[in-house]
Amino acid sequence: MIYVICRGLLRLIYSVLFPLKTVGMENIPKEGGVLLCGNHISNLDPMTMGIKLERKVNYMAKAELFNVPVLGPLVRQLGAFPVKRGGVSKESIKTALNLLRSGQVMGIFPEGTRNSDAGIAKKGAATFALRSGAAVVPAAIIGHYKPFRRMVVVYGAPIDLSEYAAGGSDSAEAVTDLIMARIREMLETGKPSGK
């Protein structure tokens, strides 16, 4: 309930501050585990990538946020779960896999840090995808978060990972490259990839 209320408030704020256009929302599966993989340009990206979706999007968030009075419990209610700086703990990995295997949506930024050009990414997103069997949907966040300027989120078609399912670390690297290539393609074209 808190998630729905906050999402509604954010939609209202965005409609004024950063008018948000979405393209390819039909590419988000209506059920089942979904790993939503986006480029990362700002701390606002988790909200931007998820607020127009009807499904709740869960994210990893810095563990320190959960120790802040009021903010900590609110962040948890909004679907975030803690991850420690300097590496993802076994507990965070387990939480992420459980979310995906139970049919929920998880948002992740494969680069692991803010970057302007969807550059080098870590293998975490690919590993979650291969281990959970969740659908992988690439997302491109386009814009500069300037007040009253339009932001655009493009959602690509789910990426078919069946040929990588049996592989190990080589597969994770190939999947990471494929996810980032789809995101870069959408950043360049402004159109959903994989069609």
Side-chain angles (χ1 to χ4, degrees):
M1 182 68 170
I2 291 175
Y3 184 87
V4 173
I5 292 168
C6 288
R7 183 180 62 194
L9 286 171
L10 284 169
R11 285 177 178 176
L12 183 61
I13 291 166
Y14 265 67
S15 70
V16 175
L17 201 54
F18 310 117
L20 187 58
K21 176 183 175 185
T22 55
V23 180
M25 294 239 314
E26 69 279 2
N27 288 319
I28 308 290
K30 293 191 173 18
E31 55 187 35
V34 175
L35 190 62
L36 194 56
C37 299
N39 59 308
H40 198 11
I41 56 176
S42 164
N43 288 330
L44 297 173
D45 293 339
M47 293 177 286
T48 303
M49 195 161 75
I51 62 171
K52 287 282 190 147
L53 304 182
E54 292 308 311
R55 298 184 68 183
K56 179 179 181 179
V57 183
N58 302 277
Y59 293 94
M60 291 181 179
K62 291 185 288 191
E64 295 84 5
L65 291 176
F66 295 84
N67 299 325
V68 178
V70 181
L71 181 62
L74 180 63
V75 168
R76 195 174 295 278
Q77 285 290 321
L78 293 176
F81 59 96
V83 61
K84 292 177 183 165
R85 264 184 209 267
V88 180
S89 67
K90 286 183 181 178
E91 191 59 37
S92 298
I93 292 169
K94 185 177 174 184
T95 300
L97 291 173
N98 285 342
L99 282 168
L100 293 167
R101 288 172 178 156
S102 68
Q104 297 187 56
V105 180
M106 188 177 125
I108 193 167
F109 302 99
E111 295 160 287
T113 188
R114 290 185 302 281
N115 193 335
S116 61
D117 62 357
I120 297 169
K122 299 177 180 178
K123 293 189 280 190
T127 302
F128 289 145
L130 292 168
R131 288 180 61 184
S132 69
V136 176
V137 175
I141 300 169
I142 304 169
H144 297 288
Y145 291 106
K146 303 249 173 158
F148 316 115
R149 295 272 183 89
R150 181 175 295 284
M151 293 296 295
V152 179
V153 184
V154 183
Y155 302 99
I159 300 172
D160 181 8
L161 300 181
S162 54
E163 68 179 280
Y164 304 101
S169 64
D170 287 346
S171 288
E173 195 165 320
V175 169
T176 300
D177 291 344
L178 179 56
I179 291 169
M180 296 311 295
R182 291 282 179 88
I183 293 170
R184 281 191 294 273
E185 176 190 333
M186 294 190 300
L187 286 170
E188 290 170 11
T189 67
K191 296 177 182 174
S193 64
K195 294 284 187 175

